Amino acid sequence: MTELVREVSENDQLRADIYQLLAALLRSQPSAELLQFLANLELDVNDPSEMTKAWSALKLASNQFTSEQLEEEYFNIFYGVGSGEIMPYASWFMTGSLMDKPLAMLRQDLLQLGFEREENVKEPEDHVAALCEVMGVLLLEAPGYRQLGFYQRHISSWIERFCTSLAVTPSAAFYATVAQLAKSFFETEANEFEQLQLNIPVNCPGSEAETAADEKLEPAKRELAS
């Protein structure tokens, strides 16, 4: 997206990593390697937070399923015979229709940010996995007001409903724990972006440093995997 080197905080790196993890889990069934990684997570058992509870549930589920078993679960939830049990698209949750105005707005913003879809990808750009992938990149490479703008325009209004719907889909066993983690994470993200919004001056898109950084952004192409 840009060649500009930004200082990334430990918190932002962790958030970006979780976005990329969610992107991987929602793009396809997890690989054996990813399941092993999740099964070996080291967690603070004394932490009573909802996030830690969600991580614990996902860790336990990762020990109980194989990638081959989850291929069927993923297919039933997101594709199915005719249609899946849930539509993982922003347009659907925002308007009740696919390929609607939110997708057109998203495509304009992605073009401005230098993202493009890979040629072999058939899914629309508003697939939840693709949006998580973009947010993970923005946290590492874009100024705060860009992150805030993208989150508010394309994610914040519907993501909680998506997580709630995913948790109760008939086929969701492993993916119920993915939904639990996503719900807890996006609740913390809402707080992160609320604080970021308070820190951005009303009369300008970002701080002087952020504005200078944004002026140096180059329209380099970044391909989306979803």
Side-chain angles (χ1 to χ4, degrees):
M1 179 177 166
T2 173
E3 294 180 0
L4 184 67
V5 177
R6 298 181 66 250
E7 183 176 350
V8 178
S9 69
E10 183 177 352
N11 181 57
D12 284 352
Q13 181 65 64
L14 176 60
R15 291 166 61 205
D17 290 344
I18 296 175
Y19 272 113
Q20 296 297 350
L21 172 62
L22 290 174
L25 290 170
L26 295 169
R27 183 183 303 119
S28 64
Q29 82 274 9
S31 65
E33 291 77 16
L34 180 53
L35 286 174
Q36 184 177 13
F37 167 78
L38 294 171
N40 293 328
L41 286 174
E42 294 184 5
L43 304 173
D44 182 359
V45 294
N46 296 316
D47 181 3
S49 70
E50 292 302 314
M51 274 290 288
T52 297
K53 292 178 183 178
W55 281 117
S56 297
L58 183 60
K59 176 179 180 177
L60 180 61
S62 297
N63 276 291
Q64 296 175 333
F65 295 93
T66 66
S67 181
E68 290 74 18
Q69 290 172 324
L70 293 179
E71 182 177 6
E72 181 178 0
E73 181 177 335
Y74 183 90
F75 176 83
N76 290 336
I77 293 172
F78 295 106
Y79 292 102
V81 179
S83 64
E85 297 168 352
I86 187 173
M87 292 287 189
Y89 306 105
S91 290
W92 179 263
F93 277 89
M94 295 171 76
T95 69
S97 301
L98 297 176
M99 310 293 286
D100 211 331
K101 184 177 179 180
L103 178 57
M105 295 173 58
L106 172 63
R107 285 172 172 168
Q108 291 178 355
D109 286 351
L110 290 174
L111 181 63
Q112 183 180 30
L113 291 168
F115 290 89
E116 67 176 8
R117 187 170 57 178
E118 293 181 358
E119 292 184 0
N120 62 333
V121 174
K122 298 180 180 178
E123 295 284 2
E125 294 89 334
D126 64 340
H127 191 287
V128 62
L131 294 173
C132 286
E133 183 182 357
V134 171
M135 278 304 308
V137 174
L138 293 181
L139 283 171
L140 301 180
E141 299 187 11
Y145 71 91
R146 289 286 194 189
Q147 302 167 21
L148 176 63
F150 190 89
Y151 179 82
Q152 289 181 330
R153 283 165 64 86
H154 304 298
I155 297 177
S156 64
S157 67
W158 63 275
I159 195 65
E160 181 179 354
R161 286 181 287 125
F162 168 79
C163 296
T164 300
S165 298
L166 177 58
V168 297
T169 54
S171 297
F174 175 84
Y175 273 90
T177 67
V178 175
Q180 182 182 354
L181 176 66
K183 185 175 186 296
S184 297
F185 174 64
F186 281 109
E187 286 174 352
T188 65
E189 282 297 274
N191 294 329
E192 289 279 355
F193 283 110
E194 181 179 0
Q195 186 59 51
L196 178 59
Q197 187 170 22
L198 292 175
N199 292 337
I200 293 178
V202 175
N203 61 343
C204 65
S207 66
E208 292 182 3
E210 287 178 326
T211 302
D214 188 53
E215 291 175 350
K216 296 180 181 179
L217 289 178
E218 297 180 2
K221 300 294 185 182
R222 181 179 294 276
E223 294 185 335
L224 294 176
S226 298

